[in-house]
Amino acid sequence: MASNISALSGGSLLLAWQLKDKHVLIVGGGDVASGRIESVLVADAKITLISPRAGLHSLTKRFIEATDRITYHDRVFNGAEDLGGIDMVLTAIDDVEKSREICALCRSLKIPVNVADIPSSCDFYFGSQVRDGPLQIMVSTNGQSPKLANIIRRKIEESLPEHAGEGIEKVGILRSKLKERAPGVGGEVGKRRMRWMIDVCNSWEMEELALLDDEMIAKLLDDGWEKNRVPKLTEVAPHARGTAASKSDLQGQESLLPFAMSIPLMCGFITGLVFTAGLVTRFVGNTRH
Amino acid sequence: MASNISALSGGSLLLAWQLKDKHVLIVGGGDVASGRIESVLVADAKITLISPRAGLHSLTKRFIEATDRITYHDRVFNGAEDLGGIDMVLTAIDDVEKSREICALCRSLKIPVNVADIPSSCDFYFGSQVRDGPLQIMVSTNGQSPKLANIIRRKIEESLPEHAGEGIEKVGILRSKLKERAPGVGGEVGKRRMRWMIDVCNSWEMEELALLDDEMIAKLLDDGWEKNRVPKLTEVAPHARGTAASKSDLQGQESLLPFAMSIPLMCGFITGLVFTAGLVTRFVGNTRH
């Protein structure tokens, strides 16, 4: 890795920024702003939205009406007084002068800022995103091609295991129940916990993890963690037997393969049959005459 | 979307943080720190690394030796004086007390900080990452399951179109050449540029985009942009005819299918041959006796 160090360049530092109970100011209420609002709500932030009502996108209006997590001001940005207690600023207005002014103010106050469409006025960029419960994926082309970022995002969405969000959620619950049962930070118990969780994630399919409920989690800990092994789904949920598929059964392509193969096999068989029958007929015909 | 607003919760704000020519302080030099160094180098930051030499991971040592983008101090963190001119702080040391102290200092100075293994001392988390040139992808499970994040990252890596990084790079060059040819921010020309770029990305496969060179880009702009259409690869690179595959030809599974099918076809043929030969032999035998 270090040998190819010159290749380590030209990218961004991808981060999952924490905004729980933080204050985000969004300036502008149009199409782009409505997308920003959604992303910021996902991160549990409190939003102050500043935009004349005439400029509000219909989705922005619905957000304002639907949640008390947005404090809305029907006016333009007023200057530094609007930045008190603000942890992050996102602007999405058409006024380039005003945008640059807001950016300069933010930088003087060390508030992270993103100005839509002006890369030099951005401390960070947004990317194309996938979200499924606790699972979040971002695709960035570092500004080279938003369209290709979108195409790749769609491919990723299609390739994700079914129920990935649910599976991750259940594993999160399993992990915290395990921590209750075998507490302690770091050390031997921490390492054993990590190893066992890795084994569970490697052994169970995402669809199987998504089926976990409280009862099954308790049984998985009793019969698995306590005995230092990883039980199968059918062991912790006997009622799931029959409906639950094993790791290999769940791979659709593999189970379809024998069927797909049987067609050329049959065609070949018939051709071989006809070919030999033809040969024999000629041979028999030749010997008879 | 807004109707399901209560579901917008429990996540992070995924960002591509810009660090070009910014100063990042990394405290600690072990395994985790070496990963941080790599991520931060990718983002073109200048690094100050503080860690007693005894605690350096072999990879960290190689980074220090291989690049002048790291200023290394063989000592422990000294306090606020180490934070002058620093834009971001990442710590990865075993000392929980010291880590919390560094975090408190950063927060008082409004410097974004990540303390490895102490979520409450993090303004942002890292995720599982994929990188291919300008393409960067991050998978976050919001702390629920780093192992599943890793499994999903691997699946994404496998599902990515071949040469995605190169394709994105070439599209970036095409975009900037187009902007030189048809300059202007926003307005009609901006919209037409965006539409044409989207058409190109939708019509060409990633593998085809990756083949673009300066000459082909010029031809694509002459025969495509100027005539408001999207030429095929073979039109802009006649020498690529024959070697270049069309959109559908490039789908490996399809082109492999005839070969995969020929095996059972052959097996069936031989079985049919042997089967019929056996039948005939018995029949001939029966009629002879």
Side-chain angles (χ1 to χ4, degrees):
Chain A
M1 239 176 259
S3 60
N4 198 16
I5 202 169
S6 59
L8 300 177
S9 174
S12 312
L13 188 69
L14 299 200
L15 302 174
W17 201 264
Q18 300 308 298
L19 283 176
K20 195 166 166 57
D21 302 324
K22 299 270 177 175
H23 289 82
V24 175
L25 170 67
I26 298 178
V27 184
D31 183 22
V32 174
S34 72
R36 302 286 193 256
I37 292 171
E38 188 175 350
S39 301
V40 168
L41 284 174
V42 163
D44 293 319
K46 289 170 185 161
I47 297 175
T48 299
L49 179 67
I50 297 181
S51 172
R53 191 169 291 273
L56 296 186
H57 188 270
S58 58
L59 202 54
T60 306
K61 281 184 199 158
R62 287 175 61 197
F63 279 126
I64 295 171
E65 285 156 18
T67 177
D68 54 7
R69 293 194 274 152
I70 302 175
T71 305
Y72 171 56
H73 299 289
D74 175 10
R75 59 170 174 85
V76 296
F77 180 77
N78 268 343
E81 65 193 84
D82 280 336
L83 297 176
I86 294 296
D87 299 295
M88 174 176 274
V89 173
L90 314 175
T91 84
I93 53 177
D94 282 332
D95 188 336
V96 174
E97 263 325 288
K98 192 81 172 177
S99 296
R100 292 221 165 98
E101 189 190 308
I102 296 172
C103 173
L105 268 172
C106 289
R107 289 190 170 160
S108 71
L109 294 164
K110 300 195 85 172
I111 302 172
V113 60
N114 172 286
V115 176
D117 288 330
I118 309 183
S120 61
S121 295
C122 289
D123 295 328
F124 52 88
Y125 303 151
F126 291 95
S128 206
Q129 298 204 24
V130 179
R131 183 168 183 248
D132 181 2
L135 174 65
Q136 289 183 277
I137 299 170
M138 176 167 72
V139 180
S140 167
T141 60
N142 283 287
Q144 298 302 296
S145 175
K147 179 63 195 171
L148 287 181
N150 238 307
I151 289 176
I152 290 171
R153 176 187 58 76
R154 278 208 306 275
K155 288 199 180 177
I156 289 174
E157 258 173 338
E158 286 162 17
S159 79
L160 279 182
E162 273 196 87
H163 310 293
E166 273 170 281
I168 290 163
E169 209 178 312
K170 299 300 174 60
V171 168
I173 296 169
L174 175 64
R175 259 180 106 206
S176 61
K177 291 258 167 90
L178 174 56
K179 264 190 191 164
E180 279 169 27
R181 194 181 277 233
V185 177
E188 265 317 300
V189 71
K191 275 183 204 159
R192 215 199 116 200
R193 269 200 321 253
M194 195 161 81
R195 269 199 309 272
W196 188 76
M197 284 304 307
I198 288 175
D199 287 346
V200 170
C201 292
N202 278 333
S203 312
W204 284 44
E205 283 294 337
M206 196 64 91
E207 291 90 336
E208 296 177 307
L209 293 168
L211 293 173
L212 283 171
D213 59 24
D214 285 353
E215 202 184 323
M216 288 161 73
I217 285 174
K219 208 157 170 4
L220 189 53
L221 291 171
D222 288 341
D223 294 355
W225 167 257
E226 302 293 352
K227 296 173 185 165
N228 206 16
R229 58 184 283 275
V230 179
K232 290 193 195 319
L233 171 66
T234 46
E235 290 177 68
V236 302
H239 58 274
R241 205 185 304 256
T243 59
S246 74
K247 191 150 186 153
S248 60
D249 285 340
L250 282 161
Q251 286 161 11
Q253 274 200 298
E254 275 186 31
S255 60
L256 271 175
L257 215 57
F259 173 71
M261 287 296 153
S262 70
I263 297 172
L265 200 71
M266 190 64 82
C267 292
F269 182 80
I270 293 168
T271 315
L273 200 129
V274 170
F275 177 78
T276 319
L279 266 187
V280 166
T281 311
R282 282 192 75 173
F283 175 75
V284 171
N286 283 344
T287 54
R288 277 199 184 152
H289 290 288
Chain B
M1 241 177 259
S3 60
N4 197 16
I5 201 168
S6 59
L8 300 177
S9 175
S12 312
L13 187 68
L14 300 200
L15 303 174
W17 200 264
Q18 300 308 299
L19 284 177
K20 195 167 166 58
D21 302 323
K22 299 269 178 177
H23 288 82
V24 175
L25 171 66
I26 298 179
V27 184
D31 183 23
V32 174
S34 72
R36 301 286 193 256
I37 293 171
E38 188 175 350
S39 301
V40 168
L41 284 175
V42 163
D44 293 319
K46 289 171 185 160
I47 297 177
T48 299
L49 179 67
I50 296 181
S51 172
R53 192 170 290 274
L56 295 187
H57 188 271
S58 60
L59 202 54
T60 306
K61 281 184 200 157
R62 286 175 62 198
F63 279 126
I64 294 171
E65 284 157 18
T67 178
D68 54 6
R69 293 194 274 152
I70 302 176
T71 305
Y72 171 56
H73 300 289
D74 175 11
R75 59 171 173 84
V76 295
F77 180 77
N78 269 344
E81 64 193 84
D82 281 336
L83 297 176
I86 295 294
D87 299 295
M88 174 176 275
V89 173
L90 314 175
T91 84
I93 53 176
D94 281 334
D95 187 337
V96 174
E97 264 325 288
K98 192 81 171 178
S99 297
R100 292 221 165 98
E101 189 189 307
I102 296 172
C103 173
L105 268 172
C106 289
R107 286 187 173 164
S108 71
L109 294 164
K110 300 195 86 171
I111 301 172
V113 61
N114 172 286
V115 176
D117 288 330
I118 310 183
S120 61
S121 295
C122 290
D123 294 328
F124 52 88
Y125 303 152
F126 291 95
S128 205
Q129 298 204 24
V130 179
R131 182 165 185 249
D132 182 2
L135 174 65
Q136 289 183 277
I137 300 171
M138 176 168 70
V139 180
S140 167
T141 61
N142 282 287
Q144 297 301 294
S145 176
K147 178 63 195 171
L148 288 181
N150 239 307
I151 289 176
I152 290 171
R153 175 187 57 77
R154 279 208 306 273
K155 288 199 180 176
I156 289 174
E157 259 173 337
E158 286 162 17
S159 78
L160 279 182
E162 273 196 88
H163 310 293
E166 273 170 283
I168 289 163
E169 210 179 310
K170 300 298 173 63
V171 168
I173 297 170
L174 175 64
R175 259 180 106 205
S176 60
K177 291 258 167 89
L178 174 56
K179 263 189 192 165
E180 279 169 27
R181 194 179 277 234
V185 177
E188 264 319 301
V189 71
K191 274 184 207 160
R192 215 198 116 201
R193 268 199 324 252
M194 195 161 81
R195 269 199 310 270
W196 188 76
M197 284 305 308
I198 287 175
D199 288 345
V200 170
C201 293
N202 279 333
S203 312
W204 284 44
E205 284 294 336
M206 196 64 91
E207 291 90 337
E208 296 178 308
L209 293 169
L211 293 174
L212 282 172
D213 58 24
D214 285 353
E215 202 184 324
M216 289 161 73
I217 286 174
K219 208 156 172 4
L220 189 53
L221 290 172
D222 288 342
D223 295 355
W225 168 256
E226 302 294 351
K227 297 173 184 164
N228 206 15
R229 57 183 284 274
V230 179
K232 288 192 198 321
L233 171 66
T234 46
E235 291 177 67
V236 303
H239 58 275
R241 204 185 306 253
T243 57
S246 73
K247 192 151 187 155
S248 58
D249 286 341
L250 282 160
Q251 284 160 13
Q253 276 200 298
E254 278 187 29
S255 59
L256 271 174
L257 215 57
F259 173 72
M261 287 298 155
S262 70
I263 297 171
L265 201 71
M266 190 65 81
C267 292
F269 181 80
I270 293 167
T271 314
L273 200 130
V274 170
F275 177 78
T276 319
L279 265 187
V280 166
T281 311
R282 285 191 71 175
F283 175 75
V284 171
N286 283 343
T287 54
R288 279 199 182 154
H289 292 288

